[in-house]
Amino acid sequence: MLLNLRRRRQRWRRSRPFWGGLFAILAGSWICVLPLAPLKIMLQQGVAGIPSVLMGIVMIVLGLTAWFAPPQRSLAGVLTTLIATAALVLSNLGGFLIGTLLGILGGGLMFAWQPYARDAGKAESAVAAPPPPTPHHDPQGAQP
């Protein structure tokens, strides 16, 4: 039973951009939590910290979108990269660069991910070479 559960989890993880979504969720969490840090650490606090929380929440949602709606991975990857880059300016240097770097990495991984073709070898062997050209047949019996 444990082995079956492990196989199901592995199959689920391979059928979507898991690592890209995970990095986006981590980046969003880091950017989102940073405004709650003590005043000595913060560069912006109060109303100016609202963009940090909003960008963090959006990045978390985009990471979850990559996990639960893999066909939307390209849009989620581009948006995650853009938001992570904007966080560099709008959100305490993008979570002191950690959030921005994690977001850019996660967005790139989401955008670059391709579905795993389980039967790739079978699919390649199933593609047959085109049939050889047949000689031209003229119904009137004339030769070309």
Side-chain angles (χ1 to χ4, degrees):
M1 183 169 143
L2 184 61
L3 185 62
N4 188 23
L5 181 63
R6 183 177 287 165
R7 285 183 183 162
R8 284 181 53 196
R9 186 182 62 174
Q10 187 178 27
R11 194 173 358 172
W12 182 85
R13 205 176 69 215
R14 287 184 179 176
S15 66
R16 58 205 73 243
F18 177 78
W19 293 109
L22 181 65
F23 284 132
I25 291 170
L26 290 174
S29 300
W30 183 259
I31 290 172
C32 194
V33 169
L34 203 59
L36 304 175
L39 185 59
K40 293 177 184 177
I41 297 174
M42 291 297 298
L43 298 177
Q44 297 175 357
Q45 198 169 25
V47 176
I50 291 175
S52 300
V53 175
L54 292 176
M55 286 189 289
I57 290 172
V58 170
M59 287 178 71
I60 291 169
V61 168
L62 289 170
L64 292 172
T65 299
W67 279 359
F68 297 109
Q72 304 302 322
R73 70 188 181 277
S74 297
L75 179 63
V78 170
L79 289 177
T80 299
T81 304
L82 289 175
I83 292 171
T85 306
L88 188 62
V89 177
L90 299 174
S91 172
N92 296 309
L93 295 174
F96 299 121
L97 293 178
I98 296 171
T100 295
L101 293 176
L102 286 173
I104 291 172
L105 178 65
L109 287 173
M110 280 189 273
F111 186 77
W113 181 82
Q114 292 294 317
Y116 176 70
R118 186 173 192 177
D119 299 327
K122 293 179 183 177
E124 289 176 6
S125 64
V127 175
T134 57
H136 178 67
H137 176 62
D138 190 5
Q140 296 168 345
Q143 294 292 328

